[in-house]
């Protein structure tokens, strides 16, 4: 019954996914549901969206196991780094492994052989992110070996862009060229390439149609937020989050009585100061202090004084508001971009930091 809660508009997420699908068809779509569905609450998002997505992407094996335990049956790719001792969990839960090294490929083959199963694998190629994957210039032996792994179903091959959301696509195009060269290795070997070739994150979906191949991997834009300020908005998507709260305390503060820890801010005239039950432990960053704006009863006001762990204050000036009145922290004209600007971070970090303590209320 917490008055501070996150409203998640599930039909809007579906609409975003459909807009992406219309743009990339006939390519398939992998909805990226890592990091608690970018903060939206995977327990509500996953069951709702599963029928509409071809594949699901997560970062770590635990996220994949969680989805399986919820009863999600769609294929799930664990895109992040994996240790060989985690491979049995992939087998047990029918998760797809991103094989990012020869050693991991060998370990996967061995584990699958021992379990007498066929494990689904996507080969991860590093074309210029320098995070995970076999470099394109060392891909030939990796691909050759993958073709002889009898207990692996090499279903996909992929890479990840470092700068596909920027105005200058030089590096993204270079990465794409390197990926194309890797795919040529299959021709040289006289073998078919894996059926799922994929590279495109949100930036590439918006700006690089030649990167779609067989599947795309939208994260941030599935949630209705664009991956960068200068990015070309070639697909219309809308945010699905509204972060609500209510006034828990309302009073007049006199001049000479500074507000909150550190006594950093005070009003020069008597002012109506209201207290909102949400703080940095909820992902309302302390760095928001004296930068954020909040909607109280439909009107925007400045946050004042240091944001505390569980509460912060808002200056209504000469306006009135009482205990229980409606407050909107995010949504209704306040965007994740605003939060990012107020805190010097990006929209991804804003959304994924909305705390576990904030209940998610799913609409639809
Ligand atoms: C491998 C991979 N693919 C796709 C995505 C989705 O990226 P975005 O949220 O920019 O669309 C991510 C997210 O970081 C990722 O790590």
């Amino acid at each position: 019954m917490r008055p501070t809660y996150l409203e998640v508009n599930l039909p809007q997420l579906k609409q975003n996914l459909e807009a992406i699908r219309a743009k990339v068809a006939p390519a398939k779509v992998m909805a990226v549901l890592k990091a608690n569905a970018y903060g939206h609450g995977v327990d509500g998002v996953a069951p709702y969206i599963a029928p509409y997505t071809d594949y699901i992407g997560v970062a770590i094996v635990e996220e994949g196991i969680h989805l399986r335990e919820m009863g999600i049956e769609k294929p799930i790719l664990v895109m992040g780094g994996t240790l060989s001792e985690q491979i049995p969990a992939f087998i047990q839960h029918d998760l797809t492994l991103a094989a990012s090294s020869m050693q991991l490929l060998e370990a996967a083959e061995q584990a699958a052989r021992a379990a007498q199963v066929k494990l689904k694998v996507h080969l991860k190629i590093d074309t210029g992110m320098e995070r995970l994957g076999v470099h394109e210039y060392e891909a030939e032996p990796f691909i050759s070996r993958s073709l002889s792994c009898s207990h692996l179903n090499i279903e996909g091959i992929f890479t990840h862009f470092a700068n596909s959301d920027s105005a200058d696509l030089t590096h993204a195009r270079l990465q794409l060229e390197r990926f194309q060269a890797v795919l040529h290795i299959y021709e040289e070997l006289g073998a078919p390439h894996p059926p799922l070739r994929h590279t495109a994150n949100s930036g590439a979906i918006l700006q690089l149609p030649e990167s779609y191949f067989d599947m795309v991997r939208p994260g941030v834009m599935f949630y209705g937020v664009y991956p960068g300020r200068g990015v070309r908005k070639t697909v219309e998507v809308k945010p699905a989050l509204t972060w609500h709260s209510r006034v828990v305390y309302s009073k007049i503060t006199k001049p000479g009585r500074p507000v909150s820890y550190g006594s950093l801010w005070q009003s020069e005239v008597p002012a109506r100061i209201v207290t909102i039950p949400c703080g940095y432990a909820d992902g309302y960053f302390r760095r928001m202090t004296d930068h954020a704006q909040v909607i109280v009863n439909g009107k925007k006001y400045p946050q004042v004084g240091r944001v505390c762990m569980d509460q912060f204050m808002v200056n209504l000036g000469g306006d009135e508001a009482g205990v229980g009145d409606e407050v909107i922290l995010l949504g209704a004209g306040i965007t994740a971009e605003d939060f990012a600007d107020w805190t010097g971070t990006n929209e991804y970090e804003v959304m994924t930091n909305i705390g576990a303590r904030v209940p998610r209320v799913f609409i639809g």
Side-chain angles (χ1 to χ4, degrees):
M1 299 312 292
R2 195 172 173 203
T4 300
Y5 66 95
L6 198 63
E7 182 185 314
V8 185
N9 182 339
L10 295 173
Q12 183 59 57
L13 292 181
K14 179 178 165 221
Q15 218 171 299
N16 293 343
L17 199 66
E18 281 169 354
I20 294 165
R21 192 181 281 289
K23 169 84 172 163
V24 305
K28 295 183 175 187
V29 180
M30 171 191 291
V32 177
L33 303 186
K34 64 186 174 129
N36 198 21
Y38 282 46
H40 289 59
V42 76
D43 291 356
V45 173
Y48 184 89
I49 221 66
Y52 309 109
T53 188
D54 302 299
Y55 228 104
I56 291 171
V58 296
I60 60 176
V61 67
E62 289 77 6
E63 292 174 328
I65 294 170
H66 181 67
L67 289 172
R68 287 286 181 253
E69 284 174 347
M70 284 168 66
I72 302 292
E73 291 177 353
K74 278 284 157 90
I76 299 170
L77 174 64
V78 178
M79 304 186 296
T82 292
L83 298 171
S84 51
E85 54 263 41
Q86 293 175 302
I87 293 170
F90 284 75
I91 294 171
Q92 191 186 340
H93 298 280
D94 185 26
L95 302 170
T96 306
L97 176 76
S100 52
S101 70
M102 189 71 106
Q103 293 86 330
L104 196 60
L105 188 74
E106 295 288 4
E109 168 72 356
Q110 225 176 47
R113 184 187 300 273
Q116 295 187 325
V117 294
K118 237 176 157 153
L119 173 62
K120 265 187 271 169
V121 166
H122 289 205
L123 303 178
K124 179 72 191 281
I125 307 296
D126 189 340
T127 57
M129 173 78 175
E130 298 299 327
R131 184 169 71 177
L132 285 178
V134 174
H135 286 120
E136 81 286 352
Y137 50 82
E138 290 177 334
E140 206 269 347
F142 183 54
I143 288 175
S144 290
R145 175 67 185 109
S146 76
L147 291 169
S148 66
C149 288
S150 55
H151 286 78
L152 302 182
N153 168 10
I154 310 289
E155 180 193 55
I157 182 164
F158 73 114
T159 193
H160 189 52
F161 290 114
N163 299 318
S164 63
D165 57 341
S166 87
D168 179 358
L169 291 171
T170 312
H171 188 65
R173 288 191 204 286
L174 177 63
Q175 287 194 257
L176 201 52
E177 256 173 52
R178 290 170 174 168
F179 189 68
Q180 295 277 20
V182 169
L183 295 176
H184 279 306
I185 294 171
Y186 285 95
E187 280 168 39
E188 285 159 15
L189 294 172
H193 60 68
L196 293 177
R197 299 162 299 171
H198 50 104
T199 70
N201 55 358
S202 295
I205 292 168
L206 292 164
Q207 307 200 111
L208 213 52
E210 56 277 41
S211 70
Y212 296 167
F213 294 97
D214 307 301
M215 185 159 72
V216 299
R217 308 188 304 267
V220 77
M221 71 182 290
F222 163 56
Y223 301 99
V225 175
Y226 291 95
R229 301 304 164 89
V231 79
R232 293 196 283 287
K233 297 179 178 172
T234 59
V235 181
E236 199 195 351
V237 292
K238 293 195 185 124
L241 291 185
T242 313
W243 194 349
H244 295 268
S245 191
R246 293 171 74 190
V247 172
V248 282
Y249 201 80
S250 176
K251 62 175 182 296
I252 299 287
T253 294
K254 292 180 181 169
R257 302 194 54 114
V259 172
S260 194
Y261 290 125
S263 304
L264 299 175
W265 180 90
Q266 61 176 296
S267 177
E268 287 168 8
V269 292
R272 166 79 45 198
I273 303 292
V274 295
T275 302
I276 314 301
C278 178
Y280 61 75
D282 299 305
Y284 201 85
F285 298 122
R286 191 167 178 270
R287 295 191 301 280
M288 304 269 252
T289 294
D290 288 340
H291 298 300
Q293 295 205 307
V294 174
I295 297 169
V296 182
N297 293 332
K299 192 172 160 188
K300 259 189 202 174
Y301 296 99
Q303 181 280 323
V304 291
R306 216 169 239 164
V307 173
C308 311
M309 189 185 291
D310 317 298
Q311 294 162 98
F312 67 83
M313 275 61 85
V314 175
N315 177 16
L316 305 194
D319 290 351
E320 286 301 318
V323 170
D325 284 4
E326 297 282 339
V327 179
I328 293 178
L329 313 183
L330 174 69
I334 296 178
T335 63
E337 284 86 350
D338 291 332
F339 269 55
D341 289 343
W342 296 333
T343 56
T345 184
N346 69 2
E347 297 77 2
Y348 295 71
E349 192 179 0
V350 167
M351 293 191 290
T352 56
N353 271 280
I354 300 174
R357 199 171 71 168
V358 179
R360 273 65 172 169
V361 175
F362 299 99
I363 308 299

